[in-house]
Every structure is written in structure tokens, then in C-alpha cells.
């Protein structure tokens, strides 16, 4: 695989049960503008549930597969997360969407949340190899959980608390997991130089499409700078 590859980890297709589509689209555009090739990965497993994005009702009987759903975003080219080797990409990026809290971890659906084992492996291996990790929206909670569990204090943002920030409680959770949480606006990016972890709030903010795109683009630019 090309050394210009950046792995992009998906969690399904659609904000309420998978990857947030506008965020991943912004990631792909920013990467290709910088001459990088996004290579998509997703866990090959049944997704937590399927949400009707029009009326919000959920169905846990449909048993959609996270990898298959992610193929919609990847235009068919998506590999099982188990195949992602740290040597095959310069960096790894996790866009947001509830899939990160339902399929990549159980943060959004369990009192005692866990991170998917392959997700944990990937985060640990890229960190150990000193390759940059980019996360946006809710996905930084994955880094808070994994590195907090190893007593590694990473610095990250999940946006802010207050008006316009519907998921502000997440900041407290990330602190409980052991992360240093920095409050930031949608157009800002948090760079943990020591651990090469780059985060941006994206749709943690109830923002406009271009605001999300600009924040995610800055996140990707900072990730590529750290390669
Ligand atoms: C949402 O729409 C689906 C499909 O039309 C329907 O089966 C379901 O009952 C609806 N749920 C609610 C809460 O309206
Ligand atoms: C589906 O979700 C409902 C409501 O949360 C729950 O009662 C039921 O046990 C779930 N079924 C499966 C197969 O997980
Ligand atoms: C981390 C994890 O595995 N989360 C959930 C993803 O979806 C499946 C359903 O297949 C759940 O069982 C997992 O708990």
C-alpha cells in the first residue's frame, strides 16, 4: 500500500447509528487535497442497531453489518479493521457519528462502556509508532477511554459546554477517563504534540455545514503536518 495512505475508520453509515457522513466527506476532501489517499476500514460485525433517521425510531432486529454499511461511504472499497496494520498507513483518522459510541465503543449505550478490541489495538499501535491520530466529534472519547485506561494522559477536545453544545456532558466523562479536556470552538483544533493526537469538535456543536467542514479540514491538516 502507498506510503501516502491515511487510514479512515468508519462505524457504519449515518449519524445516529454509524459514521457522520458530512464529517467523513470533509476528511476525504482534505486528505486528497493534500495528496493523501484515504483507505477505509470498519469492524466486520453486526451494528448495535439501525436508526430511522427521519423519525428516530430504532430497530435492533435488522442486524445490519458495520463493514457493509460503511461500504456506502467508501464507494465499496472498505477493509475489515482487523486488516489495518500500522505499517500500511501514515496516520489514522476517526470521523464522528454515534457509531463511534455504539459500534466502535459502547460509550453511548452502556453504563460500563468498553472499546472495540480492534479499535483499541489500532489506537495503541499508531500511538506506539508515533504516527498521528485524528479524531473529531464524539470520537475523541475513544482516545480518552483507551489511553486513560493505560494511565497515558492525552489532551483532547470534545467542544464545549453550554448553549449550542448538546453533548456537553461528554467532556466530564472524558475527564473521568483520565484525559486532559480542552474546551474549544467548532473552528478550532486541539493538538497534543507529545502524543500526536489531533481533535476537533465538529458536530458536537450544533453548527452549520461549512463550519463543520472547516473544523474537520483543520484537523486533517494538523494530522498531516505531524506525519
Ligand atoms: C418511523 O418510521 C417507520 C417507517 O415508516 C415506522 O415503522 C415507525 O413506526 C416510525 N416510528 C415512529 C416513532 O413514528
Ligand atoms: C432490542 O431493544 C429492545 C429495547 O431496548 C430490547 O428490549 C430488546 O431486548 C432488544 N432486542 C435484542 C435482540 O437485543
Ligand atoms: C464495542 C462494541 O462492540 N459495541 C457494540 C457494537 O455493536 C454490537 C452489535 O453487534 C454490540 O454488541 C457491541 O456491544
Amino acid at each position: 500500500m502507498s506510503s501516502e495512505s491515511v487510514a479512515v475508520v468508519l462505524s457504519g453509515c449515518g449519524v445516529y447509528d454509524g459514521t457522520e457522513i458530512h464529517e467523513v466527506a470533509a476528511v476525504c476532501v482534505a486528505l486528497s487535497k493534500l495528496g493523501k489517499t484515504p483507505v477505509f476500514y470498519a469492524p466486520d460485525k453486526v451494528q448495535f442497531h439501525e436508526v430511522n433517521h427521519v423519525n428516530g425510531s430504532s430497530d435492533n432486529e435488522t442486524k445490519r453489518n458495520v463493514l457493509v454499511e460503511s461500504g456506502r461511504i467508501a464507494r465499496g472499497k472498505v477493509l475489515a479493521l482487523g486488516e489495518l496494520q500500522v505499517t500500511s498507513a501514515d496516520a489514522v483518522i476517526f470521523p464522528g457519528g454515534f457509531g463511534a459510541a455504539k459500534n466502535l465503543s459502547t460509550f453511548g449505550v452502556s453504563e460500563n462502556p468498553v472499546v472495540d478490541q480492534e479499535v483499541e489495538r489500532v489506537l495503541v499501535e499508531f500511538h506506539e509508532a508515533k504516527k498521528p491520530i485524528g479524531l473529531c466529534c464524539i470520537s475523541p472519547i475513544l482516545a480518552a477511554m483507551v489511553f486513560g485506561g493505560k494511565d497515558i494522559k492525552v489532551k483532547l477536545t470534545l467542544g464545549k459546554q453550554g448553549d449550542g453544545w448538546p453533548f456537553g456532558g461528554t467532556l466530564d466523562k472524558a475527564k473521568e477517563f483520565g484525559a486532559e479536556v480542552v474546551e474549544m470552538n467548532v473552528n478550532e483544533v486541539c493538538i497534543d504534540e507529545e502524543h500526536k493526537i489531533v481533535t476537533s469538535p465538529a458536530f458536537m456543536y450544533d453548527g452549520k455545514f461549512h463550519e463543520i467542514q472547516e473544523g474537520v479540514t483543520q484537523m486533517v491538516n494538523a494530522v498531516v503536518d505531524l506525519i
Side-chain angles (χ1 to χ4, degrees):
M1 208 169 284
S2 148
S3 64
E4 295 298 316
S5 295
V6 172
V8 178
V9 180
L10 305 176
S11 62
C13 180
V15 54
Y16 297 123
D17 55 18
T19 293
E20 211 297 320
I21 294 167
H22 306 280
E23 291 175 9
V24 65
V27 167
C28 295
V29 170
L31 283 173
S32 68
K33 272 190 176 167
L34 293 167
K36 300 288 177 189
T37 305
V39 181
F40 301 100
Y41 295 86
D44 184 4
K45 67 178 184 186
V46 173
Q47 68 183 40
F48 180 74
H49 62 184
E50 177 186 344
V51 175
N52 178 322
H53 280 54
V54 178
N55 65 18
S57 64
S58 62
D59 187 340
N60 53 8
E61 300 300 322
T62 58
K63 309 266 182 251
R64 291 196 178 208
N65 178 287
V66 180
L67 180 75
V68 172
E69 293 305 297
S70 299
R72 295 168 177 268
I73 291 172
R75 299 175 59 82
K77 290 185 183 167
V78 57
L79 300 166
L81 188 56
E83 293 180 40
L84 174 50
Q85 301 298 318
V86 68
T87 48
S88 64
D90 291 342
V92 63
I93 293 180
F94 291 77
F98 278 92
K102 292 176 176 175
N103 302 315
L104 303 186
S105 74
T106 55
F107 176 74
V109 289
S110 170
E111 296 274 302
N112 299 298
V114 294
V115 177
D116 176 275
Q117 284 185 352
E118 285 298 334
V119 171
E120 171 149 356
R121 176 189 65 81
V122 165
L123 286 170
V124 167
E125 287 182 3
F126 276 75
H127 178 257
E128 283 175 353
K130 300 199 183 337
K131 291 191 174 186
I133 299 169
L135 314 104
C136 66
C137 191
I138 185 67
S139 289
I141 204 73
L142 301 171
M145 290 173 74
V146 166
F147 297 115
K150 298 185 178 306
D151 284 330
I152 300 170
K153 197 170 190 76
V154 295
K155 184 171 79 172
L156 52 83
T157 191
L158 285 152
K160 288 186 165 183
Q161 295 181 321
D163 276 358
W165 299 91
F167 313 105
T170 310
L171 280 71
D172 297 326
K173 294 285 185 186
K175 284 177 202 158
E176 283 172 31
F177 292 135
E180 177 187 346
V181 179
V182 186
E183 292 211 7
M184 283 195 165
N185 274 314
V186 66
N187 60 352
E188 293 179 304
V189 57
C190 176
I191 303 174
D192 179 336
E193 304 259 358
E194 183 188 353
H195 298 293
K196 293 201 176 184
I197 290 177
V198 181
T199 49
S200 185
F203 270 117
M204 293 299 273
Y205 180 58
D206 189 13
K208 296 187 165 69
F209 290 113
H210 71 276
E211 295 178 302
I212 308 309
Q213 188 197 41
E214 284 162 15
V216 171
T217 300
Q218 286 194 55
M219 183 269 284
V220 172
N221 290 348
V223 165
V224 171
D225 276 349
L226 288 172
I227 290 174

